[in-house]
Each structure stands twice: as structure tokens, then as C-alpha cells.
Amino acid sequence: MKEKNLNWLRWIKNGQPLHFCPGCQYGTILRLLACALEKTGLEPAQVMAVSGIGCAGWITDRYLKTDTLHTTHGRPISYATGIKLIRPELTVIVVSGDGDLATIGTNHLVHAARRNINLSVFCVNNFLYGMTGGQAGATTPYGAITATTPQGNPEQPMDLIKLVLSLGCSMASRYPAMPLGKSPYPAIDAIVKTIRHDGFSFFEFISPCITNFGRKNKMPNPKELKEYLKNLLVRKEDVLQITAEPAPNDNDNKLVCGTFKSLIEYLNFAKKGGQQ
Amino acid sequence: MVEIKINPKLCKKCGWCAQFCPKKVFGPKGEILNPTDCSKCGLCQLLCPEGAILLGEQPREHQRIIQSPDMLRQMVREAGKFGLGWSIRRSLSEPGPCFISGNGACVRGALDAGCRFYAGYPITPASEIMQDIAKKFGQSSQGVFIQMEDEIGSIGAVVGASKAGAKAMTATSGPGFSLMQENIGYAVMTNTPCVIINVQRAGPSTGQPTRPAFGDLMQAIWGCHGDSPKIVLAPTNAQECYDLTIKAFNLAEIYLTPVVILTDETIAHLREIIKISGEVRSFKRTVPVFGDGQELTVTGSTHYLNGLRAASDPKAQQDLLDRLKEKMERIGRHPIIDINCHPENEVVIISCGFTARSVAKAVYNLGLGKKIGTIVIKMLWPFPFNEIEAAISRRAKVIVPEMNQGQLIHLIRELNCDPIPLNQTNGLPIEPQSIQSAIKDCLRKGCRQ
């Protein structure tokens, strides 16, 4: 396999061991990003990584060997906008969490997508606020138990892919940091496409927080978490084979993974997965 | 058979490898059970969160010392002593007299100082600055203008652009200034030069958008959380709007710090004649910026000199705050202040902003010569405590007229001169008559003991 021989090590700072919890997949995401950056043929000096607050902000700030800017909570996209406008030749990537990009910073995400500014935004969705102790956020699944929703989350989560596509974004992807279906290297090619895309592009990693989300929702080990993700996620190639009617229970609905280029395309797949 | 190595220092025994491996090579805690089954797919090496698994021979990257941005800054600062970074530019505006509002003068000053980036959000009474800049940048390619979604986004984009090497600014008024506070603190923390013009209006909250006030003085100095000192300038007329905006860009670039310019609605909209000299002394920082290939690590967390986070190191925190304090002390050695005092003064009036002009008019009307002294503070932070203390005579009474409920007076009180407040918060500039009557009142009661 080609990916095995990629010299991704040159994209990673000497900061190991990683500061993430045991079982947290953020280290995997760091490596997927490094592999993809290596695959794009860019040099570290050509890349600028902007991150926000939270565990996901550390992925680039501490470990990616490029220029990095670790910003205030929720604002990385606005900082990246300024950088991109002044240095358009730089490849600017934004890596941050769902609480950062999609809850406190939704405004900037929405407007960057609307402006179609040439940024690649990587949202690492861990379903809650991990670093502050596992409070519910805008992407917490319905019914999930968190530190602030001990009875189960009463609110509906936000579909980020649908959000950015509805604003005219022409490249949005959703992948977990693990193999899904048959393809063993799931996300790397999609990340490369996202980085190369001319215009605003969005990428959502699904990587539930094993410490806060996993323990409270009866999946404290990678084994149970993998089962949970296998039930939750479905590749867009596979979703067409689902023949059963969408279940009325929200928990049975599936999130469609893949790369989507328009809202209509996404909605077609999402409907099959049982999403409204 | 390929050799599988697990680095025990990195492995946290999470067990993801057992989940990924299609050939069941690994046990549930990451131990190697069946090495002969390995099909060399490389999935474990790619997906191990800790990067602990190595499969066969690896390409090795030579370790490089990360160049510390602050160390480079130090070198550049040394070089700056020999005049590097300064240049004389021809001003973009026509030399000679010019009839212009305070907001317009700020724009002229910014463009002449070499501003290349503006991000803003419309707000009365600061919108003209944004409109003028949008027009100027739209006509030529000398700069980039963007209207952001809110003031938080504006200051974010300004800090980002500044870190990428451009001289950047934004302008706002009270409500927007409140929104910006967190990210102004970020600019302080990360040594980012930028200029923020706050055209003050009567508050609190929405208040009276078309009326002047000077109620953001404390917020401008101490608004951000944590000890975050920054430069605060306060022009009194359109000419100073022009001059101090240029000065603000130079100070920001020299000292790598945000600069807040406090004007108010009256100065902003009052049209006056200003003189443009045609030549501008401007400073351009020579520190490395993003895109220079220096692998800069910039964070708003407490950091060491090389930019790496130090979120729980007491020494790093202490050193960082000491550095910021020391920087302000260096700036404080060059105060911007108009002192017109005499040892025979019986009354000294200390003011800033538009009120200083009413004071000048009141003193002129009274015509009492040396009995009245005036001090106009144009750099509000670092505050010129020593200069003011030296200027006020022991027996003089101090009056502090302000368009707020008493903010400047708190700083004056530190000098132990028992100042008399004269506050007006009706959304109108203070009339010279009210200052005159306050002076007369003071003179009648006699001097301080």
C-alpha cells in the first residue's frame, strides 16, 4: 500500500508521547492529516494550520510541524480568514473541535462557507466538550448522557455537513478515524481532496470522546466504541443498499459518511439513512 | 515475516490495534499475539492513536531545533536599535491643508502609515472609517478590505492578517469594542501589532449611538481579562486623529502590541482643517511572519520563549507577565502628553479627548494667566503618573472634567492630589461655561493645603 511508505513523520513535531487520553483517536487524526499533507505534495512552509480551543485544537498546535496559530475559543476561522486574505499562496487549514467550530463559533463557520473563502476546515466531532469534562454541545446525539445532561440530551444534534452544504459549500466530507466498510484507508484521499479543493471545503471527523462520552454511554473500550460507530455510520456507497424503511426512533438513524458536493446529493443519501 | 515493534514509552494500552487488525495479530491490550499472521497491511501503524507501532524499516526524519520566534524577535530588536525598520514614505494623501472629519483623518493616517488590511463591522458612529477604507482599497490594490460577520470576527481577521505580515486595523464603537475584548487580549498575549479605533458613543448597552461620551476609558485600559496591558491613545481633534493614527501603527509595530485609539462621536464627525506634511516616518517590523518557513508556533496559552504551551508552569506564567509589564514600562518612558503648568498655578485641569478643547476654550475665556494650568493626556496607557506628579504644584487644586461618571479621575487619585470631579453624562460634550464655573468655584474656595 502506498500509504505505508509516506514520509508523514516530517510533518509531525517531536512532542511525543501524545497528551491525549488512552483510546482517544486524535493521534490517529493527526497521522491521517500528516499522511494527507504529504500526499498533496506540499512543503511544511506552504501550510498554515489554525486551531481553536479544546482537545482538537492541540492536534495541530502541539504536534503539526508547520506554522501554527492556536486561537481563542470558537474563532479560528476568522483568524484564518485574515491570514488567507494577506497570504493567499498559503494553504490554510483549520483544525478544531465541534464545540469550537460548531457551537460557539458557528457564526464564523456559516459565513466562511457563505463567502466561499479558500479554507479547508477540519471539524473533529467528539460529540461533546471533552477538555472541560464532557458537557453537552450542539453535536451531542439525542438522548446521550453527558455531564450536563444526566437524564439524556433533550436536544437534537446539528448536522454540520447539511449546514455547510446548504450555504453553497462545494466539498464536504464526513469520515471516522477508522476503517469503514471495505476500504482500509478511509479518510486520507478525502482529506487530500479537501485540502486541494479550490474554495471553502469542510471535513468532519467522527471520533467520539472515549473518556467522557464513552464511559457515560456504556462504551468505555475501543471494542464497544467501534461497535457503536459501526451502527451509527454508513458509507454512502452502502446506504443505497438499505431497503428497510427508516425507523421512527432517532437512535436507529444512520449518519452517512463520504464526500458530498451538493446539498441535494447529501440529502438523497441522508434520507436513505433515515435522517430528516 | 515483517517485524512489528511497539514502543513501550508511547503505548497507552488502549487496544485500538486489536480492533483494526484484520488478521488478529494484537491482543486486547496491544500485546503481539500472532506475529506470523501479519499481512503487512500497515493499518495498525497508521491508525494507532499514539504512533507507537512501527512496521519494519521507517523513513527517519532528522530532528531539527525549532527556531524560537521570540529569540528571533530579540535579534531583530537589537537590529532595530540601529535604525532598521524605519523608513520615510511619501504620504498617499495630497500634502497641504485638507478639510476632513475625525473619522476621515483616521483613515488618511492609517493609509499613510501603510495599513494593508481592514476588517470591520458596521456600527454608528464608526462606519465612515470602514466605508472610506472600502472605497480606497477597492480602487487600488494597496490593501485588502473585508466586512466580517461581527466584531469578534473582525478583530480575529485583523490579528490573523497582522500575524501574516500586514499592518492591520479595525474600527468600532462601544458595543463592538466590548465584543472584541477577548481577542484584544489574545493580541496582547501573542505580541500582535494591530490598531483598534474605538469611536465612543453614549452607553451603557445600545445607549445613544449618535451622541458622544468617554465611557470606554477604563475598558480600553483594563477591559481584557488577565493582566493585559496595551497602548491607549486619545486624540482631541482631527489633526491628532491623523497624527496619532500614524503614531499608533508605529508604536504597534515597534513594540508588537495592540494599540487602542479612543475618539468619540464629536471628534469623529466634526470637520476641520488638518495639515498633511507629505512625508511619513513609518516603522515596519522585521520579525518573522507566517509563511516565512520558520515553523512559528503561536498560542494564546501561556508559552515559553519558543512559543510552545506551558499551561501549568508557574515560572513560564511569571516570566510572560513580566515581559508584558516590562514592555509597557519601556513605552511609558515616551509619554504623549501636553503639559501647560506653572508653579504658581492655583487650579490645574487634567483632561483627555474632546473635553480638552472645552477646557482650552474655558481657560482662554477666563484669561487668568498663570493661575490656571492644563494637562492634556494623549497617551492614556501607559499612564504618565510621573510626568503629571512633577507638573502639578503642591498648592494647586486639580479638576478632572470628563464625559462619564468618573474614570480618568481614578487614575489621577493615585497621585494623592485630591482631584475634583466634573462629570457630565447627558450625551453632549461638556460646555466651556460649566468648566469656567467649576474653575471660579475652586478659586473662590482657595488653594489646597
Side-chain angles (χ1 to χ4, degrees), chain A residues 4 7 9-10 13-14 16-18 20 22-25 27-28 31-32 35 45 48 58 61-62 65-73 75 78-79 81-83 85-87 90 107-108 111 115 177-179 184-185 188 222-223 225-226, chain B residues 9-10 12 14-16 19-20 40-43 45-51 59-61 63 116-117 144 146-150 152-153 156-157 159-161 164 166 182-183 186 289-301 309:
Chain A
K4 211 164 63 181
N7 186 10
L9 219 59
R10 72 187 188 118
K13 266 183 212 162
N14 308 308
Q16 294 174 341
L18 304 182
F20 304 118
C24 174
Q25 288 186 301
T28 309
R31 196 154 313 100
L32 292 174
C35 286
M48 169 81 228
W58 284 17
D61 171 52
R62 290 191 94 126
K65 206 174 182 180
T66 60
D67 284 343
T68 59
L69 182 65
H70 186 224
T71 68
T72 47
H73 191 25
R75 320 296 167 205
S78 60
Y79 284 74
T81 304
I83 293 166
L85 287 174
I86 289 299
R87 301 293 291 258
L90 284 179
N107 198 12
H108 307 297
H111 288 278
R115 280 192 194 105
M178 60 174 230
Y185 297 106
I188 292 178
K223 196 180 171 194
L225 198 61
K226 189 183 164 200
Chain B
K9 278 185 189 163
L10 300 184
K12 290 178 184 163
C14 64
W16 269 115
Q19 301 304 319
F20 294 138
K40 305 182 204 175
C41 68
L43 209 56
Q45 181 183 323
L46 182 76
L47 295 175
C48 170
E50 308 302 324
R60 273 272 159 234
E61 172 75 357
Q63 292 195 354
R116 265 183 59 220
F117 184 83
V144 182
I146 186 167
Q147 181 174 334
M148 293 298 283
E149 54 274 8
D150 57 20
I152 304 172
V159 173
E182 185 194 3
N183 293 281
Y186 181 86
V289 294
F290 288 143
D292 285 357
Q294 301 279 4
E295 288 168 20
L296 299 184
T297 306
V298 179
T299 173
S301 306
R309 290 177 87 248

Side-chain angles (χ1 to χ4, degrees), chain A residues 185-252:
Chain A
Y185 297 106
I188 292 178
D189 287 332
I191 299 172
V192 173
K193 268 190 219 164
T194 306
I195 292 171
R196 283 198 184 136
H197 186 65
D198 192 15
F200 184 87
S201 49
F202 185 81
F203 193 104
E204 183 185 11
F205 284 107
I206 303 284
S207 167
C209 176
I210 194 159
T211 307
N212 290 308
F213 186 81
R215 272 195 323 208
K216 287 217 168 77
N217 294 285
K218 293 176 190 147
M219 36 191 155
N221 295 312
K223 196 180 171 194
E224 291 97 11
L225 198 61
K226 189 183 164 200
E227 285 307 310
Y228 170 75
L229 287 179
K230 268 194 170 169
N231 284 332
L232 179 73
L233 305 174
V234 58
R235 286 199 310 163
K236 74 173 186 182
E237 293 81 5
D238 300 339
V239 76
L240 299 176
Q241 286 147 23
I242 296 177
T243 46
E245 280 293 303
N249 187 353
D250 281 308
N251 292 332
D252 294 344

